[in-house]
Amino acid sequence: MSIISEVSRELDMAEDSFREQIRLARGKIKHIKIKKKNGKGFRRIVIPPWEFKIVQYWTILNYLRDVKIHRSATAFHEGASIRTNALCHRKGNYFVKMDLSDFFPSVGVDDFKNALYKYHPGFVWLEKELSDSEFVDSMFHKGVCAIGFPASPYIANICMIELDELIESKLKNNVERFGRFSYTRYADDLTISIERKGFKREVEGVVYEAVREASLKNIKVNKEKTKYGSKSGGSAFVTGMRICKDGHITLHRKYKDHVRLLLSLYSKGKLKPEDKGKLLGHLNYCKSSDPEFYNKLVLKYFQSIERLRVSSG
């Protein structure tokens, strides 16, 4: 029984009727643009119709979340966070951070098929589903993963196991030069921390070599976003978290100052009403990313934080 058949049955719909709904839903896809944080250009989001979402969530819950991914993948799975990603590098001394261009759209149906065949024999039967046009249309946008599709992060992580393995293997081959190392990939953000100084170009070379060798032919490194850092120089930032000399993980000082300012304004009744939701979001982010900093805020602004949470429902 196909996945579309199983979803149809759980919806108590005739399979032919549901397939027709999916075909009609192709014309209901929405596209939105969100300005990037750096102010340079826009991020294009594809909003799937409910028919696609049902198929995607059903496939995630029943299959995709159980497919093995590489241990270096630190996003889009249970327990993943920017904090756990940064913690992997707390013993590193020197850092190379690289970015993959157009990450989700660089992963397509063929990549998924190849990954299942090569790395996930227990799920190789999913290959057959990729011959089902209604299933493919529900899971992919024009044959590739799309930003905004719930299944895209899972599919991308599954496909990236090859590149993750290649990078880790090449780093192990250089351990005598680099010393102790750690490699993580938080979605499209690659971070490599090493023990010894003077090898940033060699570390970069490891990534470029792995990208060339991988079968994921559309994956490219965004050279403009490559950054370096060192713990001793105070420039060790990993997914927005600062790694201090003693290995302590904390949020960027400027971000913490911004949150303190908003909270101070709120406690004095001077915060704009439209900024209350933003402040609550910042507090939730601090609570999960930097519990120590959040606890300090609670000690100082307990009543204000409680009042904000109550007023926000």
Side-chain angles (χ1 to χ4, degrees):
M1 183 180 290
S2 70
I3 287 178
I4 297 297
S5 298
E6 293 190 63
V7 176
S8 301
R9 185 180 62 181
E10 292 202 16
L11 291 173
D12 198 23
M13 288 180 64
E15 181 179 340
D16 288 345
S17 297
F18 186 52
R19 287 185 179 276
E20 179 61 20
Q21 292 268 32
I22 291 173
R23 288 192 287 270
L24 292 172
R26 293 167 183 163
K28 296 193 291 184
I29 295 173
K30 295 180 180 178
H31 300 262
I32 62 172
K33 293 191 298 182
I34 299 177
K35 197 170 185 178
K36 293 183 178 180
K37 290 182 180 179
N38 60 13
K40 297 178 181 179
F42 292 86
R43 193 177 305 281
R44 299 180 183 277
I45 313 294
V46 183
I47 308 298
W50 70 265
E51 294 89 347
F52 289 8
K53 286 183 180 179
I54 286 174
V55 175
Q56 290 186 45
Y57 281 123
W58 192 95
T59 307
I60 290 167
L61 293 172
N62 288 279
Y63 300 115
L64 293 185
R65 68 177 180 177
D66 296 324
V67 181
K68 180 184 175 183
I69 58 176
H70 197 267
R71 62 185 177 183
S72 65
T74 54
F76 311 130
H77 60 81
E78 189 175 353
S81 71
I82 62 169
R83 180 176 176 81
T84 56
N85 180 63
L87 284 170
C88 294
H89 298 278
R90 65 187 182 277
K91 293 182 180 180
N93 294 325
Y94 303 95
F95 300 78
V96 176
K97 295 172 286 182
M98 304 174 75
D99 181 87
L100 300 177
S101 302
D102 298 321
F103 182 52
F104 285 151
S106 297
V107 178
V109 176
D110 289 339
D111 297 317
F112 188 42
K113 189 181 298 183
N114 292 338
L116 291 172
Y117 181 77
K118 189 173 182 179
Y119 295 100
H120 310 288
F123 290 88
V124 74
W125 60 269
L126 271 172
E127 269 192 85
K128 296 179 181 178
E129 299 293 332
L130 300 178
S131 299
D132 184 329
S133 61
E134 279 78 45
F135 178 75
V136 171
D137 284 348
S138 297
M139 301 291 290
F140 297 87
H141 180 59
K142 297 181 179 179
V144 299
C145 291
I147 302 174
F149 273 37
S152 290
Y154 293 87
I155 293 170
N157 265 348
I158 291 167
C159 292
M160 286 293 290
I161 191 170
E162 178 187 13
L163 182 60
D164 292 334
E165 281 193 351
L166 279 169
I167 292 174
E168 186 175 77
S169 175
K170 291 178 184 298
L171 288 169
K172 285 180 179 178
N173 292 340
N174 284 277
V175 74
E176 288 187 7
R177 291 197 297 164
F178 301 162
R180 183 183 61 245
F181 74 87
S182 181
Y183 161 65
T184 60
R185 180 183 54 78
Y186 191 86
D188 57 352
D189 291 326
L190 313 183
T191 303
I192 298 170
S193 57
I194 61 173
E195 181 181 3
R196 298 181 186 138
K197 185 179 181 179
F199 293 102
K200 64 183 182 182
R201 298 299 181 192
E202 288 82 354
V203 170
E204 272 189 82
V206 162
V207 175
Y208 279 108
E209 187 178 321
V211 168
R212 285 194 299 270
E213 292 179 14
S215 62
L216 297 150
K217 298 306 178 186
N218 292 320
I219 292 289
K220 306 292 180 188
V221 174
N222 186 342
K223 297 180 181 180
E224 295 180 358
K225 289 191 175 182
T226 298
K227 296 180 180 179
Y228 314 103
S230 69
K231 191 183 288 181
S232 60
S235 57
F237 290 93
V238 177
T239 46
M241 304 291 293
R242 182 185 178 191
I243 302 178
C244 304
K245 292 180 182 180
D246 61 357
H248 175 68
I249 307 293
T250 186
L251 289 166
H252 196 290
R253 179 177 56 81
K254 288 184 179 179
Y255 179 78
K256 291 194 287 187
D257 287 344
H258 178 64
V259 175
R260 289 192 192 99
L261 174 61
L262 292 178
L263 198 46
S264 175
L265 289 172
Y266 178 73
S267 66
K268 296 172 182 175
K270 295 180 180 181
L271 188 69
K272 296 178 182 178
E274 60 267 28
D275 288 334
K276 290 181 181 179
K278 294 178 183 178
L279 173 57
L280 186 59
H282 286 309
L283 290 172
N284 289 334
Y285 175 71
C286 292
K287 186 178 181 179
S288 62
S289 300
D290 194 341
E292 185 177 335
F293 171 61
Y294 177 76
N295 288 339
K296 289 179 180 178
L297 292 177
V298 171
L299 286 173
K300 185 174 182 179
Y301 295 102
F302 177 77
Q303 290 183 336
S304 295
I305 292 174
E306 283 298 299
R307 187 169 73 252
L308 176 64
R309 293 194 181 282
V310 170
S311 66
S312 299

